[in-house]
Amino acid sequence: MESDKFICILEKQEETAQVVIIDIANPQALIRLPISADSAIMNPSTKVIALKATRTLQIFNIEMKSMMKAHTMTEDVVFWKWINVKTIALVTEKAVFHWSMEGDSTPTKIFERHANLNRCQIIDYRADHQLKWLALIGKAAQVQYSTTLCTTFVVSLIISTNTYSPFFFLSFSFFTEQTRHRRHSALLSGPRGERAD
């Protein structure tokens, strides 16, 4: 959930889709909007919704029933989220952009993705309130080491001076032991009940 005030649900039935918006202060008054988007995110504070259909992005004011902005990206957006009440972060395979809902500006490229994030699934993006500290977080594919699964989380942290440039990069791994029940049952299923250690 991006918002403390609204819950946004995308419902798809066959070829039709609609977004359902629940106002937490008034949960009985559901807002249903037919859409042709594949993703929708609600503004954290106001009744403004952003929609994404492949590379086409749109921002709508629900109360005024009007489109505020639209833009078509040249790359696929693999992750997006509101980072404050005015700005959406857009992550593509190559870079991170910020798109303000004010004025008629297009998405602004903030920084290029670190090479170590190339094969990662992007799971979060964080920014401080001044947009000077930025962190792009990715999850690498799981690698199995005997009975242990390794999941690597990669964080690219950016600090702003006059322009955004990589400050430092780090990665860390979590190791979780697989359940032993599966291995134990395989040992008991050998010929004549013999254990095959």
Side-chain angles (χ1 to χ4, degrees):
M1 275 180 27
E2 302 290 331
S3 172
D4 293 330
K5 296 185 176 181
F6 305 102
I7 298 172
C8 181
I9 302 166
L10 184 63
E11 290 183 344
K12 290 186 178 180
Q13 294 180 350
E14 297 177 0
E15 296 184 5
T16 62
Q18 67 175 352
V19 65
V20 180
I21 300 164
I22 303 168
D23 186 340
I24 295 175
N26 186 13
Q28 287 77 23
L30 299 179
I31 301 171
R32 294 180 182 272
L33 303 171
I35 60 169
S36 58
D38 51 45
S39 181
I41 52 174
M42 195 72 188
N43 184 285
S45 298
T46 61
K47 287 188 178 178
V48 171
I49 191 168
L51 303 173
K52 179 171 70 73
T54 59
R55 295 184 178 183
T56 302
L57 310 171
Q58 297 176 334
I59 301 176
F60 282 92
N61 185 313
I62 297 169
E63 289 181 320
M64 303 194 57
K65 298 181 180 177
S66 63
M67 183 173 67
M68 299 171 64
K69 298 183 85 166
H71 181 75
T72 301
M73 299 289 288
T74 57
E75 303 174 51
D76 291 339
V77 175
V78 297
F79 181 85
W80 70 326
K81 71 178 286 187
W82 290 93
I83 53 174
N84 58 39
V85 295
K86 298 178 181 179
T87 310
I88 299 173
L90 307 166
V91 182
T92 69
E93 294 287 352
K94 297 179 181 177
V96 175
F97 298 80
H98 287 178
W99 191 27
S100 172
M101 73 175 192
E102 296 182 328
D104 57 356
S105 62
T106 59
T108 303
K109 183 177 176 180
I110 303 301
F111 61 91
E112 292 186 1
R113 284 175 55 167
H114 193 281
N116 285 10
L117 284 164
N118 286 349
R119 293 195 179 109
C120 291
Q121 174 192 358
I122 301 302
I123 59 172
D124 202 3
Y125 180 72
R126 297 286 178 159
D128 72 334
H129 66 282
Q130 294 181 328
L131 301 182
K132 289 186 176 180
W133 288 85
L134 311 169
L136 182 61
I137 304 164
K139 177 183 174 183
Q142 291 186 337
V143 180
Q144 185 170 345
Y145 296 102
S146 75
T147 61
T148 304
L149 285 177
C150 171
T151 302
T152 302
F153 290 88
V154 182
V155 180
S156 182
L157 182 63
I158 309 299
I159 185 173
S160 168
T161 51
N162 291 332
T163 59
Y164 289 94
S165 58
F167 181 63
F168 67 84
F169 176 86
L170 60 96
S171 66
F172 50 94
S173 301
F174 289 100
F175 292 88
T176 55
E177 191 173 352
Q178 288 180 319
T179 56
R180 299 190 180 195
H181 300 293
R182 205 174 286 169
R183 182 172 181 268
H184 186 67
S185 63
L187 293 177
L188 295 178
S189 62
R192 297 187 214 141
E194 296 173 0
R195 295 173 65 104
D197 292 329

